[in-house]
Structures are given as C-alpha cells and as structure tokens.
Amino acid sequence: GQNIDQPTEMTATEGAIVQINCTYQTSGFNGLFWYQQHAGEAPTFLSYNVLDGLEEKGRFSSFLSRSKGYSYLLLKELQMKDSASYLCAVRDRRNTDKLIFGTGTRLQVFP
Amino acid sequence: EAGVVQSPRYKIIEKKQPVAFWCNPISGHNTLYWYRQNLGQGPELLIRYENEEAVDDSQLPKDRFSAERLKGVDSTLKIQPAELGDSAVYLCASSLRGASSGNTIYFGEGSWLTVV
C-alpha cells in the first residue's frame, strides 16, 4: 500500500523558522518532491530528494531519511508570501513516472 | 518559455451535462498527466501519457471520463455525464520523459469545475 502523511495545518510568525514533516509508506521509493501551492494556483516545484541528507536552496531546505520514510521541508526567515499549502509527493519505484501526493500542509504566516 | 496551458480556467455546469478540458504541455515534454485535486486534498493521478500512448489510466473512471492526446502534444479530458462529485480542480502537468532521473513535473493552473 501507499500512504503519505503530513500535518493538515500549521501557523508561524513572520521571520520565524518552520519545519513541515512528511512520512511515507510506499511499496517502492524513488525520490521525494516538495511542491508549494498558493490558493487558486498550480503547484510549483520546490525541491527534490532521492538520497539521504539535506538539500538547501535559499530560504528553503529539504531533508530525507529513506530508512525512516521521513522528510521535512524547512522554511527560514518566513515571509507573508510563504502562506500556502506545501505538498509532499513520493515517486513510485516501480512506476517512476507516477507521483503520489500527500494531502498537503496549509501554512499560515502571521505578522 | 510558456508553461503548461489549460483552458477553460473555470467552468460551471449542471449535472448530467458534458464538459471538456484542454491542455497544452511545455514544448518538448513528451509526458503529460491529468490530475484531479479536491478541496483540501493533494492531486490524484487520473491518466498519464507517454507521447500519444496512455500508459497509466488505472484511476480514470472510464464509465464517464475519457481522454485523448492526438499527435502526442495537446490533450483533452472529457467528462460525460458530469456528476456532483466531479466538482474539483483538474490539473494538467508535463515533464521530460516522465519523472525519471529527477525530472520535474510542471503543473498548469488548473481547470476549476463546479457541477450544480
């Protein structure tokens, strides 16, 4: 079976740091994506992890532990425009063209 | 470079009516996806094309949904007849040779369907 879990909602303050966790259980694994989706807009690519460790890209970082079936997205120096849904998606090893999405974490940043 | 283009952006129809969505992928992307996203949920794959061939349509409700990708470029997704539960955002996406080797999947802005 395939299961991806993320918190439904999170809140944070402008300028702070927030960590959005994602745990997954899949029959096969071949990479994990994080997407950002503002209300009423398309998901946009943030990061991709296939090996264990931390990938840093500006204010955003993504971490992966394959043995634990765990990833997190770290957002630093939060800005109001970071208020959005953050989608964790796992690529199936047996069907490498298929992304399985979690339900997304809705992040609200307050001043 | 243009992104994935979808139309119409919004559509409101009565139940039992047909509806069609159109998608133009990023130039050169041979893999095209149709996803459905319900409110507060993540996208769910309906169908995936490699060029003009549908290689994964296991989650497409074939009794009322159909899709085509003639000539391996543009694609259309049709629902006939529509039901109230079909209200959702229909997202088209494309990538180079699927999602292998970390190729990113790029999404269009979606077609918002409301069935009343």
Side-chain angles (χ1 to χ4, degrees):
Chain A
Q2 297 160 327
N3 192 41
I4 299 174
D5 287 318
Q6 309 177 232
T8 304
E9 291 190 356
M10 298 182 71
T11 60
T13 305
E14 196 173 15
I17 299 172
V18 71
Q19 177 175 312
I20 302 174
N21 296 324
C22 172
T23 58
Y24 62 88
Q25 293 175 314
T26 58
S27 52
F29 175 83
N30 200 13
L32 186 144
F33 292 79
W34 283 96
Y35 280 82
Q36 180 190 59
Q37 186 175 28
H38 286 99
E41 298 182 11
T44 54
F45 171 77
L46 287 179
S47 68
Y48 170 70
N49 294 71
V50 66
L51 300 176
D52 290 350
L54 187 68
E55 294 280 343
E56 296 186 78
K57 194 182 291 186
R59 294 189 299 114
F60 292 5
S61 303
S62 57
F63 171 83
L64 175 67
S65 169
R66 290 172 295 172
S67 62
K68 295 181 180 179
Y70 168 70
S71 172
Y72 67 72
L73 181 69
L74 191 71
L75 292 76
K76 303 176 184 176
E77 302 171 12
L78 281 173
Q79 302 175 9
M80 298 296 290
K81 67 178 182 179
D82 297 330
S83 293
S85 287
Y86 291 86
L87 299 164
C88 173
V90 172
R91 195 168 75 196
D92 192 308
R93 182 178 187 83
R94 293 175 304 172
N95 183 350
T96 57
D97 297 322
K98 185 172 182 176
L99 278 188
I100 303 160
F101 283 85
T103 56
T105 299
R106 184 181 171 192
L107 173 67
Q108 286 188 288
V109 180
F110 293 100
Chain B
E1 181 181 346
V4 178
V5 179
Q6 292 187 244
S7 69
R9 188 85 165 88
Y10 303 96
K11 190 76 175 178
I12 301 174
I13 62 171
E14 293 183 343
K15 62 182 180 181
K16 300 184 181 180
Q17 294 302 305
V19 64
F21 306 115
W22 174 82
C23 173
N24 179 244
I26 293 174
S27 178
H29 283 192
N30 62 331
T31 303
L32 183 145
Y33 312 75
W34 282 103
Y35 281 84
R36 176 169 60 188
Q37 186 174 23
N38 292 307
L39 190 64
Q41 302 293 316
E44 295 179 316
L45 181 69
L46 291 174
I47 189 168
R48 174 173 65 88
Y49 283 92
E50 289 288 347
N51 299 307
E52 66 275 8
E53 182 183 1
V55 295
D56 183 357
D57 63 356
S58 56
Q59 293 185 268
L60 188 73
K62 297 182 182 62
D63 57 336
R64 298 183 300 105
F65 285 64
S66 64
E68 61 181 12
R69 192 185 184 196
L70 300 176
K71 301 181 181 178
V73 181
D74 295 359
S75 177
T76 56
L77 177 69
K78 297 178 182 178
I79 308 174
Q80 182 173 8
E83 296 179 353
L84 294 176
D86 296 332
S87 295
V89 181
Y90 291 85
L91 293 164
C92 181
S94 70
S95 68
L96 281 171
R97 294 187 61 79
S100 302
S101 303
N103 284 332
T104 301
I105 295 179
Y106 295 91
F107 287 86
E109 291 192 311
S111 292
W112 293 65
L113 174 66
T114 301
V115 182
V116 297

